Amino acid sequence: MRRLLLALLTASLLVAACGDDDDAETTTDTSDPTETETETDTETETETETAEPTSTTATPTPSELPGERIEIFPYEGTELAVVGVEADDVLNVRAAPGVEYEIVTGLDPLADGIAPTGHNRQLDDGAIWAEIDVEGSTGWANTAFLAHLGDTDDVTSQLYPEVADRPRADTMRQLGEAVAASVAGDGDDPEPDVVVVDGPTVGDLGEITVDVLGFADDSVLGARLHVFAEPDAGGESFTVRSVESTTLCRRGVSDGLCV
């Protein structure tokens, strides 16, 4: 009898011990998912906070575009070229008219064949922006840096009737500026802007391309001058050999002439 009571007591203690282990394992399992979930939320929040925005200003819908729509050149169906942009720079094309909007792409200083859509807007500061088609997508560019290309002519003899009249300079940049001054003239009108848009380069000949902008003419914006020069003995100076001039038109071109 005594042995039987001892056996029953031992069995009871074993059953009680197994029940405590189950409770402890259940508690531990319940706490693990809570810790994992908390870590995931923290990582997600951190990633969201440090992500950089894609633009400084959201692109407005067509009805929210800044400025006022105006019916003015450039017109749909014409072709434009970039003008007045330094050789080491680009013309920014933006998601909406205004410098605060995201840059869509950049056009190099000699880019041409640019297609306007005919949608132009004038901003409060007076600047006119044109919507243009760029490689199948649209963007906006300031029309101060866009023009139509007219005819290209050799104007060497017109500028310098005698060979002895052709200017000489120590550098190609100085020579390009001297030729630009010959084209701009010394009139009473505001002095045109002179911008080097390509070069200078020096090989057998020196080359530089200069835009002269701001002519006092309703149809002619300016001229693009492609200057070729011969290096003097020792290559320490340059003398004009020839000058090609492309007319830059404000409103459009017909048979190579500004309209």
Side-chain angles (χ1 to χ4, degrees):
M1 177 65 73
R2 180 180 295 175
R3 289 181 179 178
L4 179 59
L5 290 174
L6 182 60
L8 289 173
L9 179 60
T10 302
S12 299
L13 291 173
L14 288 173
V15 170
C18 290
D20 289 340
D21 286 344
D22 287 343
D23 289 343
E25 290 175 2
T26 301
T27 301
T28 302
D29 291 343
T30 303
S31 62
D32 286 345
T34 303
E35 293 176 359
T36 303
E37 183 177 357
T38 301
E39 291 174 0
T40 302
D41 289 343
T42 302
E43 291 172 358
T44 303
E45 290 172 1
T46 302
E47 182 177 357
T48 302
E49 290 174 1
T50 57
E52 295 181 0
T54 57
S55 64
T56 55
T57 303
T59 304
T61 64
S63 62
E64 298 172 336
L65 287 173
E68 179 183 359
R69 182 163 186 167
I70 55 174
E71 299 299 328
I72 194 172
F73 51 87
Y75 301 110
E76 184 179 11
T78 61
E79 289 189 354
L80 299 170
V82 174
V83 298
V85 174
E86 293 282 353
D88 59 352
D89 203 351
V90 297
L91 174 61
N92 289 326
V93 179
R94 297 182 179 271
V99 296
E100 68 271 26
Y101 294 102
E102 178 185 5
I103 297 173
V104 175
T105 188
L107 299 175
D108 70 63
L110 298 180
D112 59 10
I114 301 164
T117 68
H119 186 175
N120 309 308
R121 301 187 76 85
Q122 186 170 26
L123 304 186
D124 292 340
D125 62 3
I128 297 174
W129 288 64
E131 185 181 48
I132 58 177
D133 186 4
V134 182
E135 298 179 351
S137 60
T138 57
W140 293 83
N142 191 327
T143 60
F145 302 98
L146 297 171
H148 304 273
L149 298 181
D151 279 341
T152 299
D153 299 299
D154 189 319
V155 296
T156 312
S157 59
Q158 178 183 336
L159 293 174
Y160 314 110
E162 303 293 335
V163 174
D165 296 333
R166 298 178 185 180
R168 173 182 172 276
D170 292 338
T171 67
M172 281 302 302
R173 179 174 286 272
Q174 291 173 349
L175 192 62
E177 292 171 349
V179 174
S182 299
V183 172
D186 299 320
D188 296 330
D189 299 317
E191 184 177 351
D193 294 326
V194 176
V195 182
V196 175
V197 298
D198 190 42
T201 60
V202 177
D204 292 337
L205 293 176
E207 291 186 52
I208 192 169
T209 304
V210 180
D211 281 356
V212 184
L213 305 172
F215 286 12
D217 188 293
D218 289 340
S219 60
V220 180
L221 173 64
R224 173 165 289 173
L225 308 174
H226 193 179
V227 180
F228 298 87
E230 294 182 353
D232 293 343
E236 296 180 356
S237 60
F238 301 87
T239 301
V240 166
R241 176 175 181 176
S242 63
V243 180
E244 294 178 352
S245 177
T246 301
T247 305
L248 304 178
C249 303
R250 296 181 190 272
R251 298 191 295 253
V253 177
S254 178
D255 296 328
L257 301 177
C258 299
V259 297

